[in-house]
Amino acid sequence: MSFFTSADFTLGQKLLEIVYIIIGLLTIYTGVKNARDEENPSRVGTGIFWCVLGVVLAFGRWIPAVVDGILILIMCVPAILGKVKIGKTNAPSEETVEKTYNKVGMKIFIPALAIGGGAMSFALFLPDLGALVGIGAGILVAIILLMLFNKENKPMVFLNDSERLISTVGPLSMLPMLLASLGAVFTAAGVGDVVAGIVGKFIPEGNVNVGIAVFAIGMALFTMVMGNAFAAITVMTVGIGAPFVLAYGADPTLIGMLALTCGYCGTLCTPMAANFNVVPVALLDMKDRFGVIKNQIVPAIILLVFQIVYMIIFK
């Protein structure tokens, strides 16, 4: 029985798998296009990286785990050697951009809002399908709207613009996924238990307030190391949250939700969160590589302090 007809998987899982297949095919297209691009200074390495990544994303479920691991190792080689480059881009000229803006106007923001609206709608009203499926649905709505707003927007426009964005971000696009996987590895390796043993020497037994503060600050710091709050919260919850906060009667919903946002405060302060703090530098061609982070440190500290106080008061 195939995955798409199996009763073991929910409709949401099946739809999400379709989204991953589409992303994988887009990534393979990026690899093929760059491999055939004579203006790309590293056609072979770029093609290998994106094509292998696309195969793993689209068909990884049906590929043996050992083969998936080998493919990922192969994919990392050109990235490590700096052989993943940007080839010829078909970016619209400033005249074209201005002409299109004059034609579409402020309606250009409607498709962007449709993506966020799709995610929120599915999360609130179709939770069985999930917010990620909602993002996919929102993107589909956005594409339809853009085609209605401007008849010149053909399917190839979206395909080539997707390739241009993927190529611009480059191998950094893999960092969030790798860091999330690293969090699972750390948890399975018992890092949380080690953290619990160390922290237990400093937190007074039964002092929930101190536990909350250490949990929140630990989330921010570990997220700065991991680059991903979702990766950090598993380790920090096992090591600090569960034994020193939740075990003494604190509301798990409140603590879990705010602990995750405390991790996001760490996200604002680390280059490891590449999709937030490194990719914008590349896209905007900023001279200061840490310019984004420098402007986020103070707000991050203010948010972290506020959330610690909130958890202590309403725990």
Side-chain angles (χ1 to χ4, degrees):
M1 182 178 292
S2 70
F3 169 80
F4 295 105
T5 58
S6 174
D8 296 332
F9 296 93
T10 65
L11 177 60
Q13 289 174 314
K14 294 174 182 179
L15 291 175
L16 185 58
E17 194 65 37
I18 292 174
V19 172
Y20 280 122
I21 290 173
I22 293 173
I23 294 172
L25 294 176
L26 283 172
T27 309
I28 292 173
Y29 173 77
T30 300
V32 173
K33 187 173 183 294
N34 278 279
R36 299 177 60 186
D37 184 2
E38 296 182 356
E39 295 186 21
N40 190 312
S42 184
R43 296 165 55 186
V44 176
T46 305
I48 291 174
F49 177 83
W50 292 119
C51 286
V52 173
L53 175 58
V55 169
V56 173
L57 287 174
F59 311 112
R61 178 182 292 277
W62 298 279
I63 299 175
V66 173
V67 178
D68 269 333
I70 294 173
L71 289 174
I72 291 173
L73 292 176
I74 293 173
M75 177 194 73
C76 290
V77 172
I80 293 172
L81 298 177
K83 297 299 182 180
V84 182
K85 305 291 184 180
I86 302 175
K88 180 181 179 180
T89 58
N90 298 315
S93 64
E94 293 185 6
E95 292 79 8
T96 302
V97 172
E98 184 174 356
K99 179 182 176 181
T100 304
Y101 173 74
N102 292 333
K103 181 179 180 180
V104 177
M106 298 302 290
K107 292 188 296 183
I108 191 65
F109 289 102
I110 297 178
L113 292 173
I115 299 174
M120 293 184 63
S121 298
F122 274 61
L124 293 173
F125 305 112
L126 297 170
D128 291 339
L129 298 182
L132 291 178
V133 175
I135 292 176
I139 291 173
L140 179 60
V141 172
I143 290 174
I144 294 172
L145 290 173
L146 288 169
M147 294 178 70
L148 292 175
F149 291 163
N150 187 358
K151 302 300 182 182
E152 296 179 5
N153 285 334
K154 305 299 182 183
M156 282 302 298
V157 172
F158 299 100
L159 186 60
N160 288 326
D161 278 356
S162 297
E163 179 275 323
R164 180 161 58 92
L165 179 60
I166 292 172
S167 294
T168 300
V169 175
L172 290 173
S173 59
M174 275 298 298
L175 192 54
M177 289 179 277
L178 292 175
L179 292 173
S181 301
L182 185 59
V185 172
F186 276 16
T187 302
V191 175
D193 297 330
V194 175
V195 172
I198 296 174
V199 173
K201 299 177 181 179
F202 303 98
I203 298 180
E205 185 176 354
N207 194 322
V208 181
N209 293 340
V210 175
I212 287 174
V214 174
F215 186 26
I217 296 172
M219 271 297 301
L221 294 176
F222 205 66
T223 299
M224 291 177 68
V225 175
M226 301 289 291
N228 189 306
F230 288 103
I233 195 167
T234 53
V235 176
M236 288 293 102
T237 300
V238 171
I240 304 175
F244 300 108
V245 180
L246 302 180
Y248 295 99
D251 183 355
T253 302
L254 173 68
I255 298 299
M257 178 179 65
L258 291 178
L260 190 60
T261 56
C262 287
Y264 295 154
C265 293
T267 300
L268 297 174
C269 304
T270 176
M272 292 296 288
N275 51 332
F276 287 100
N277 302 327
V278 176
V279 171
V281 173
L283 292 177
L284 299 175
D285 195 22
M286 296 174 61
K287 295 181 179 179
D288 187 352
R289 294 176 57 193
F290 300 100
V292 173
I293 295 175
K294 290 177 181 177
N295 285 283
Q296 293 176 165
I297 291 177
V298 173
I301 294 174
I302 294 173
L303 286 170
L304 181 61
V305 171
F306 174 83
Q307 289 171 127
I308 291 173
V309 173
Y310 189 94
M311 282 191 284
I312 291 175
I313 294 175
F314 296 101
K315 64 179 181 296

